[in-house]
Amino acid sequence: AGGKEEVKGAYVPPHLRGKEGETRKALSLHAFEEAKKVGGAALGPASRQLPPGASEEDEKLSKGALKKKKAKEKAERERQEKESLEETQRALEAAGIDAPAARPAAGAGAPKEEAGPKTYGSAEEVQKRIKAVQKKLRQAEGLAAEAAEGKEMNVDQQGKIDGIAGMKQELEELEG
């Protein structure tokens, strides 16, 4: 009565195969599903223990979906932190307190300073550098156009936009 019945021609697990003298009892799919819901002892432990930090719904997600979910949660946390920082700055400004603005990481937003003019060994190297600087300049000007349209730029993109003048200067030096 416990969900087991004698069935001929039904699936028999490998460990029960070849036992001719014994009566083999097959577990029907319906009985198996019911036993799984109840947590039947014949099917293993009643509840599977999840790793720390995991939830029941995370277990059902694929690896990619779980990665995407975590990225969304991280982005939401960062957005909330940014809003909180902006709100604090507005409150300080309203109170008349001069608060230092949040500064980007060292060297992230500032244009790179060069120690002196670079020298190149051959005309071929100069041409390569001219092409590289022209490409960087096109990308930076494209980003500047997007920023002018109102698109929000991250720190790296803003740094590239800020470096346009330096790139133009380097291009003039190389061509002149």
Side-chain angles (χ1 to χ4, degrees), residues 5-126:
E5 52 191 55
E6 251 184 75
V7 179
K8 289 192 176 203
Y11 173 76
V12 180
H15 68 280
L16 293 178
R17 290 180 190 161
K19 297 188 177 187
E20 299 297 327
E22 294 182 26
T23 306
R24 294 185 283 186
K25 295 193 177 195
L27 190 61
S28 70
L29 180 60
H30 175 72
F32 180 77
E33 292 295 327
E34 289 300 315
K36 195 162 92 174
K37 287 179 190 173
V38 176
L43 301 174
S47 65
R48 208 169 107 208
Q49 194 171 11
L50 296 173
S55 66
E56 291 272 338
E57 62 185 49
D58 287 349
E59 183 179 337
K60 296 174 186 172
L61 296 175
S62 68
K63 192 175 183 181
L66 188 58
K67 186 176 180 181
K68 188 174 182 179
K69 180 182 175 188
K70 287 183 181 182
K72 280 186 178 180
E73 290 171 354
K74 182 181 177 186
E76 179 64 21
R77 277 193 312 271
E78 288 174 353
R79 186 188 62 76
Q80 288 175 350
E81 288 173 6
K82 183 179 178 184
E83 286 178 359
S84 173
L85 179 64
E86 289 173 354
E87 186 177 317
T88 304
Q89 287 179 346
R90 281 192 299 268
L92 289 173
E93 288 173 5
I97 300 172
D98 186 29
R103 295 183 202 130
K112 295 176 180 103
E113 301 274 336
E114 292 185 12
K118 289 189 176 182
T119 56
Y120 297 96
S122 68
E124 188 177 308
E125 289 178 12
V126 172

